[in-house]
Amino acid sequence: MSGPKLTPMMAQYQKMRRSLPDDVLLMYRLGDFYEMFFEDAQNAAPILNVALTRRNSIPMCGVPYHAADAYIAKLVKAGKRVAIAEQTSEPSPGKIVEREIARIISAGSIIEAHLLDDARPNYLAAVYQMGKKWGLACVDHTTGEFTVAEFTERGPLDDELARLTPSELLYSDEQIPAFGALPAAQAYDAFAFLPDPAGQLLKDHFAVQSLHGFGCAEMHAATGAAGAILHYLIHQLRRPCEHLRSLKVREDSHLVLIDAASQANLDLIDSRSGKKHTLLGVLDRTKTPMGARLLRDWILHPLRDLAQLLERQNFIADLLEQPFILSKLRESLQGIRDVERTTARLSQGAGNARDLQALAVSLSHIPELKEDLATLTRSGDLQSPAQPRPEQSSTENPATAHGSLLTDHSSNLNDHTDLTAQLTTALAEEPPATLKDGGLIADGHNPELDELRSATRDGKQWISDLQAQERQRTGIDTLKIKFNNVFGYFIEISTAKLATATLPDDYTRKQTMANAERFITPALKEMEAKVLGSEERAKKLEYELFLELRQQVCEHLDSLQQTAAAIARLDALGSLAETAQTHRHCRPKLEASRAIEIVNGRHPVLEQTLVDEKFVPNDTAFDPEDNLLQILTGPNMAGKSTYIRQVALITLMAQIGAYVPAESATIGLVDRIFCRVGASDDLSRGQSTFMVEMNETALILNHATEHSLVILDEIGRGTATFDGLSIAWAVAEHLHDEIKCRTLFATHYHELTDLSNTRPAVTNYNVAVREWNEEIIFLRKILPGAADKSYGIQVARLAGLPKPIIERAKSILSHLELNSTKPDAKKRGPKAKNTRQNDMPESNAPQLDLFD
Ligand code: ADP
Ligand code: MG
C-alpha cells in the first residue's frame, strides 16, 4: 500500500500501524486533527460520515481533536477498536514530531460515561479450554469487578455467557473451532492464556505469592482466561488496571441455574416488546446505577441459599414495617450518582472535575443513609426475636439472620467525611468538562491561585479603564480597546475619526482594516503580558490541583469500592421493598422442600401491563407425593402460557429474596428453572425450530433434578401430530417416573391427559372458558380436570375467519370425531378429580350443544 518514497512522517505512521492488530483503526494526531490513512480511512469514513480525501494519492480522512470523542463513540458502536496516537513532542523546525499510542479503545473496555448504559455492566470476557475444563474470566472495566469461573461442560459456559453478554470475548487463537463463532469473539495470542505466564501476570498484578487467597490457584483454565484479559488490557490496550483489586470466583453451587433459552423464554431482562415487559422492568425501582446493575445481576443469578435469602427478606420486611424510613432511604439514594464507575474512571487517570464533584455530592448523602439504617436497627432490635414477624414463624426466622445484613450495610458504608469536605471546598460550583481551560477550582482554596486570579482580574480591569483614559487623551469618543487571539489587546479607531485627530507618540500601528486602524502601546502590551501570563499560570495550577484531588480519591479506592457495593445492595433491596409495597406483593415462605403452594398468584409483568382486562389470579399446588406433574389443557388464548410462566417467575422472584405477586406463597427452593417453548410458539428462532426445541428438551432431560422446576409450553408442536404427541408423552413420563421434578406442562395434545390414569402424581388442569351463543368467553381460571376439547374453531371465529369456513370446519370436526377410536372424555380413567363433570362449573355445560 505504500509508494516508493515515504515522507518521514508517513514512515513513522507505517511503523506504528504495523505494531497494531489489523482490525484496529489508527487515529493519528496531526495538529488539531486526528487523521486516518489508507484502509483505515476507507473503513472509517462511511461510519463517521466524513469526506474521504487523497493526498499524494493516499486516501485519508480526519476529525477535529476537540470533537474526537463523538467520532470515537461512533466507531466503537460500529464494533471497531480505535488506537489513539498522540503527539509527544513539541513541533520544532526540521524535526519530526514524536508520537505514541496513548490508548486503544474497544467495546469491552470503554469507561466513557456517554458510551455506556448506566443500568447494565459492560463486560470484557475471556474463555479458555484445557482438557475437560472450560474456564471463563470476566472484567467490568468500568467498575473493577473481576471474576473467574470454571465449568466441566460446555453448556453452562454458554449459558453464563448469555447472561453476561460481554461486549468483547477473547479466546486463544489456537482454539478457533471451539469459540470463533461466539458473539463478540476475538482471537488473542495463545501465549497469554498459558497457565504459567497467565498465573504469573496475575500474581504480579495483585502482588501476591499465589492465587490461593482468591480461591482459584487450581483453576488453571479460568486463571488462564483471567491472565489473558489482564495481558490484553495492559499490553494491547495500554490501560491502567489499578482498580482491578481482586479476583472473585463465581461459584454456581449456591445459584439457581437458568439456561440461556429459559432466560429468554421467561423475559427476565429482555423481551421482544421492550424492557417494560420484563421481570426487571417491573422490579427495577432503583435510584442509582449501581443498584440497577446489581438488581439485574440478582435476577440473572437467583439463589438457593436459604440463609442469604432470609437475610434479604428480613431486610425488606424491616423496610416495609417502616415505610417512612423506606422513603427516606430512597430519597437519600436519589442524590447518589455512579460512585462505582466514577471512582473507577478517576483511578485510571481519566475523569474530570465533574466526576470529582459527583463523587463529593454522592458521599455527602452517606451520613443520612447511615442514620436511616441506625433507625432500622434500633426498631428491629425491639421486635426481634421476641416478637416474630407475622409473615413468618420464629423458627424460620433465626434471630441471627435478622439485622446481619443491616450491620453489614452500615459497616461497609464509609462516609469519607474528610475527602468529601476537601472535594466540596476545593471544587468550583459548576466545573467544566475540560481539564486545562481553568474554572475547576473554587476561589479561596489555594492562595497562589487566588493571587493569579486577582492579577488577571486587576489587569483586565486596568485594561478596560484604559479605554476611558485613551478616549480622553485622544479626544476620540468612539475609541475602543479590543482583544483577539492573533494580536492580543489593541486599540481600534475608525478611519473617519483618525483623519481629524493627532495620535500620541506611543501608538504603534498594527493593522489597517476597511473602516478602522488598530494600534498598540507599550503600556498596553506590558499589562497584556501580565494578564495573559497569570491566566495561563492559573490554568496550569488548577490542573495540578485537580490531579492532587484525583490522587486523594485514588488513595481511598478500596473503601470507595466497598461503599459503592453497599449502596448498590441497599438500593436493590429498597427497590424490591418499594415494588412489594406498590404492587401488593407478599413475603413467600421459603423452605427446603419440593412443594410449591401459591394462593391467588399473579403474573408479575402481565398484571402490570394488561389494559383491557383485569388480571385473574390463580392458585398453584405442587406436592411431591401426588401432584408433581401438572398437565394443563385449554383452548388457544385461554391463558395457559401466562399461567405456567407466572409460576416460574414467582419461584424465581422468591429466590432472589423478593416478595411475590400472590396472596400467600410457600416455595420449596428449586435448584434450576427450565422454561421450554414449543417450536411453533417461538417465532424468534431460525429454520430448524423443531431441532432447537428438541435440543432444549434434551438439555432438560439430562440436567433436571428432583429439585428443579420445569415449565414446558407446547412441546412437540414442531412436527407431525403423532410424532409430536409421542415425544411429549415420553418426555412427560420420564419427568414423572425418573426425574420426579415439579413440572407444568401446557399442551394442546389432549391425549396427554390420559397419563393421569396411570401415573399417581400426574394431575390434569384446564383453563376455564364459557360458551355463550357460540361465542367463547375466557375466564382465565385454572381448574382441576382436563379440558374436553380444543375450541380451535371458536378461536378461529374470534380471529375473523369467514363464516362458511367456520361452518365447514365444524362439520368436518364432527365427522372426524364420529370416526375416531379415541376414548371420549366420559370413559376416561377412574380418578374423580380428572373428570370434568365433577369439577367444571355449570357455566360450561352448554358447550355440549356445539356439536350438531
Ligand atoms: P394460551 O397459552 O393458552 O394460548 P396465553 O397465556 O398466551 O394463552 O394468554 C393469552 C392472553 O390472555 C394473554 O396475552 C393475556 O392478555 C390474557 N391472559 C392470560 N392469562 C390471564 C389472566 N390470568 N388474567 C387476565 N388475562 C389473562
Ligand atoms: Mg400458549
Side-chain angles (χ1 to χ4, degrees):
M1 64 181 181
S2 52
K5 275 193 303 181
L6 282 180
T7 62
M9 191 203 76
M10 281 320 283
Q12 182 196 47
Y13 171 85
Q14 294 281 29
K15 187 161 165 237
M16 195 175 273
R17 178 62 270 195
R18 276 194 300 272
S19 76
L20 289 168
D22 286 348
D23 65 317
V24 173
L25 297 171
L26 175 55
M27 289 178 94
Y28 193 71
R29 181 73 178 263
L30 263 181
D32 282 347
F33 280 80
Y34 288 108
E35 299 286 356
M36 280 169 278
F37 301 101
F38 302 108
E39 278 167 27
D40 284 359
Q42 282 160 337
N43 289 332
I47 299 173
L48 299 178
N49 195 19
V50 297
L52 186 67
T53 57
R54 273 172 197 281
R55 196 190 294 165
N56 302 332
S57 80
I58 297 173
M60 59 185 284
C61 68
V63 299
Y65 86 97
H66 57 80
D69 278 353
Y71 288 104
I72 294 170
K74 278 192 188 172
L75 292 171
V76 171
K77 283 219 175 94
K80 304 286 177 196
R81 291 187 290 163
V82 186
I84 310 291
E86 296 290 2
Q87 299 179 172
T88 53
S89 71
E90 291 300 318
S92 64
K95 265 188 80 184
I96 158 165
V97 178
E98 283 164 32
R99 290 182 181 80
E100 248 173 51
I101 293 174
R103 64 211 159 108
I104 300 179
I105 297 159
S106 71
S109 63
I110 38 179
I111 49 170
E112 290 75 9
H114 63 280
L115 293 179
L116 291 162
D117 180 346
D118 273 355
R120 49 176 303 167
N122 188 47
Y123 288 125
L124 164 61
V127 283
Y128 189 50
Q129 184 186 0
M130 279 179 72
K132 291 235 162 293
K133 291 265 168 74
W134 278 264
L136 170 68
C138 194
V139 161
D140 187 340
H141 203 59
T142 66
T143 62
E145 174 189 342
F146 195 176
T147 56
V148 286
E150 236 170 48
F151 305 89
T152 48
E153 279 180 286
R154 176 62 189 265
L157 168 67
D158 288 339
D159 291 336
E160 184 65 1
L161 286 173
R163 279 185 283 273
L164 300 172
T165 51
S167 305
E168 274 185 283
L169 177 65
L170 307 178
Y171 64 95
S172 159
D173 56 14
E174 286 174 355
Q175 300 185 342
I176 296 174
F179 301 119
L182 290 171
Q186 188 171 296
Y188 193 64
D189 191 354
F191 174 81
F193 289 83
L194 296 178
D196 283 344
Q200 196 55 50
L201 184 64
L202 291 169
K203 284 184 270 184
D204 291 348
H205 174 80
F206 295 116
V208 291
Q209 289 287 320
S210 92
L211 298 176
H212 278 292
F214 300 124
C216 55
E218 305 305 323
M219 299 170 65
H220 297 302
T223 51
I229 289 191
L230 204 56
H231 190 275
Y232 175 69
L233 283 169
I234 295 174
H235 297 291
Q236 189 163 97
L237 303 188
R238 296 154 224 243
R239 290 310 180 81
C241 291
E242 267 299 287
H243 66 304
L244 307 182
R245 306 292 265 210
S246 75
L247 204 50
K248 270 207 201 74
V249 178
R250 257 186 205 263
E251 275 270 25
D252 56 16
S253 60
H254 65 288
L255 299 177
V256 178
L257 301 183
I258 302 171
D259 58 276
S262 299
Q263 178 192 320
N265 290 334
L266 288 171
D267 292 340
L268 296 185
I269 51 167
D270 286 315
S271 91
R272 266 168 268 160
S273 33
K275 191 192 158 191
K276 199 177 139 213
H277 298 269
T278 65
L279 183 62
L280 178 61
V282 168
L283 293 186
D284 187 1
R285 289 182 155 65
T286 55
K287 297 286 192 183
T288 72
M290 290 90 80
R293 292 193 294 268
L294 183 66
L295 184 60
R296 188 178 186 278
D297 192 65
W298 282 1
I299 290 173
L300 292 176
H301 299 98
L303 300 174
R304 288 187 225 177
D305 182 271
L306 189 59
Q308 269 190 71
L309 289 169
L310 285 179
E311 276 187 0
R312 289 187 192 169
Q313 282 194 342
N314 284 342
F315 191 75
I316 295 172
D318 285 341
L319 290 172
L320 290 176
E321 269 163 26
Q322 307 210 50
F324 175 68
I325 301 280
L326 173 60
S327 62
K328 248 186 99 220
L329 181 88
R330 289 169 52 73
E331 218 167 275
S332 309
L333 287 166
Q334 178 93 49
I336 295 184
R337 310 287 149 72
D338 203 334
V339 176
E340 197 179 25
R341 282 187 171 168
T342 307
T343 311
R345 221 173 12 249
L346 292 165
S347 77
Q348 293 173 66
N352 55 31
R354 289 182 184 170
D355 287 318
L356 292 177
Q357 194 180 42
L359 194 60
V361 168
S362 305
L363 292 175
S364 70
H365 291 282
I366 304 273
E368 301 157 31
L369 282 183
K370 289 180 93 96
E371 208 174 287
D372 296 341
L373 288 178
T375 321
L376 267 191
T377 317
R378 275 197 298 279
S379 54
D381 286 346
L382 290 179
Q383 286 178 4
S384 140
Q387 212 181 309
R389 265 141 241 283
E391 300 90 340
Q392 208 155 14
S393 71
S394 53
T395 45
E396 283 129 11
N397 187 11
T400 47
H402 172 83
S404 71
L405 254 195
L406 258 178
T407 358
D408 260 21
H409 283 143
S410 353
S411 62
N412 285 332
L413 280 175
N414 307 307
D415 43 19
H416 297 278
T417 339
D418 293 346
L419 180 64
T420 313
Q422 209 172 5
L423 291 174
T424 314
T425 51
L427 292 167
E429 227 161 85
E430 283 181 29
T434 55
L435 294 178
K436 300 197 170 165
D437 300 329
L440 316 177
I441 306 292
D443 284 333
H445 171 64
N446 179 287
E448 191 187 341
L449 179 62
D450 289 347
E451 219 164 89
L452 289 170
R453 279 182 175 164
S454 83
T456 313
R457 262 194 305 273
D458 293 351
K460 283 188 174 162
Q461 189 58 46
W462 183 91
I463 289 171
S464 72
D465 290 347
L466 186 69
Q467 182 168 295
Q469 285 169 33
E470 294 302 312
R471 280 184 183 176
Q472 220 168 22
R473 191 147 76 108
T474 57
I476 303 172
D477 56 3
T478 56
L479 175 148
K480 284 207 176 70
I481 307 241
K482 291 188 170 176
F483 179 85
N484 73 24
N485 282 325
V486 186
F487 297 123
Y489 289 97
F490 53 82
I491 298 165
E492 188 173 281
I493 301 172
S494 69
T495 322
K497 293 282 181 184
L498 266 181
T500 59
T502 40
L503 291 181
D505 289 344
D506 57 348
Y507 273 44
T508 313
R509 191 181 312 262
K510 197 73 193 161
Q511 192 185 19
T512 304
M513 316 283 292
N515 302 317
E517 301 261 345
R518 290 173 171 179
F519 304 89
I520 54 173
T521 70
L524 181 60
K525 282 294 134 178
E526 200 178 304
M527 192 48 87
E528 175 190 290
K530 275 192 198 150
V531 170
L532 298 184
S534 51
E535 216 168 18
E536 272 321 297
R537 279 187 8 242
K539 285 180 187 168
K540 245 180 121 176
L541 180 58
E542 284 199 61
Y543 180 63
E544 280 159 21
L545 292 169
F546 164 79
L547 293 182
E548 262 170 42
L549 290 172
R550 187 164 71 185
Q551 188 49 40
Q552 293 286 323
V553 171
C554 293
E555 275 158 28
H556 298 279
L557 188 55
D558 286 320
S559 92
L560 285 169
Q561 283 184 347
Q562 193 184 45
T563 304
I567 295 172
R569 277 196 304 275
L570 272 182
D571 193 14
L573 288 166
S575 167
L576 290 177
E578 180 76 15
T579 306
Q581 198 174 45
T582 321
H583 296 331
R584 295 168 297 109
H585 291 178
C586 76
R587 175 177 185 157
K589 185 165 164 249
L590 305 178
E591 56 182 38
S593 73
R594 282 157 65 219
I596 289 182
E597 185 134 8
I598 300 168
V599 177
N600 281 329
R602 286 117 51 197
H603 188 293
V605 182
L606 191 67
E607 174 190 37
Q608 299 308 321
T609 48
L610 270 190
V611 270
D612 298 333
E613 276 181 274
K614 219 172 134 32
F615 192 88
V616 179
N618 274 301
D619 298 346
T620 306
F622 280 105
D623 82 77
E625 294 316 313
D626 61 2
N627 197 349
L628 260 190
L629 192 153
Q630 310 191 349
I631 293 179
L632 180 60
T633 43
N636 265 316
M637 285 303 287
K640 301 184 295 298
S641 301
T642 305
Y643 171 70
I644 61 177
R645 279 172 178 72
Q646 158 186 324
V647 175
L649 289 172
I650 287 177
T651 307
L652 188 143
M653 288 169 75
Q655 294 198 241
I656 66 173
Y659 281 28
V660 299
E663 211 172 282
S664 73
T666 301
I667 306 290
L669 297 181
V670 303
D671 63 349
R672 303 186 65 138
I673 297 176
F674 295 94
C675 177
R676 210 44 81 247
V677 178
S680 59
D681 252 25
D682 186 2
L683 309 168
S684 67
R685 307 210 177 169
Q687 310 85 352
S688 184
T689 48
F690 181 64
M691 189 64 196
V692 171
E693 181 188 327
M694 286 301 110
N695 279 336
E696 293 179 1
T697 309
L699 183 109
I700 298 181
L701 298 174
N702 292 329
H703 291 91
T705 75
E706 61 171 354
H707 293 291
S708 305
L709 175 64
V710 175
I711 305 295
L712 297 171
D713 197 351
E714 308 279 14
I715 287 295
R717 216 157 135 170
T719 183
T721 309
F722 284 132
D723 276 18
L725 173 58
S726 318
I727 292 169
W729 191 292
V731 167
E733 277 183 355
H734 183 78
L735 290 170
H736 174 277
D737 301 350
E738 304 297 326
I739 300 180
K740 303 184 169 60
C741 54
R742 284 157 282 183
T743 306
L744 274 169
F745 201 146
T747 183
H748 71 297
Y749 290 127
H750 199 271
E751 295 81 349
L752 271 186
T753 56
D754 287 350
L755 262 178
S756 69
N757 297 334
T758 54
R759 296 292 189 292
V762 174
T763 314
N764 291 327
Y765 292 88
N766 72 92
V767 198
V769 292
R770 176 187 294 171
E771 282 181 81
W772 189 71
N773 286 348
E774 299 206 345
E775 292 291 326
I776 180 167
I777 300 171
F778 297 114
L779 300 179
R780 314 287 183 215
K781 245 337 187 196
I782 309 295
L783 299 171
D788 63 345
K789 55 187 177 131
S790 69
Y791 298 92
I793 294 176
Q794 286 80 350
V795 176
R797 182 182 28 230
L798 271 187
L801 248 62
K803 195 152 191 230
I805 295 190
I806 298 287
E807 291 309 318
R808 175 70 183 138
K810 277 206 274 189
S811 85
I812 295 173
L813 176 65
S814 49
H815 178 73
L816 287 177
E817 283 184 339
L818 275 178
N819 296 322
S820 155
T821 52
K822 198 186 96 186
D824 85 0
K826 279 163 231 154
K827 286 192 227 133
R828 213 177 289 145
K831 279 175 121 183
K833 66 176 175 179
N834 292 324
T835 52
R836 58 169 292 280
Q837 282 78 3
N838 289 346
D839 295 311
M840 291 292 275
E842 276 172 42
S843 54
N844 273 25
Q847 70 198 21
L848 296 171
D849 303 340
L850 253 175
F851 298 93
D852 39 25

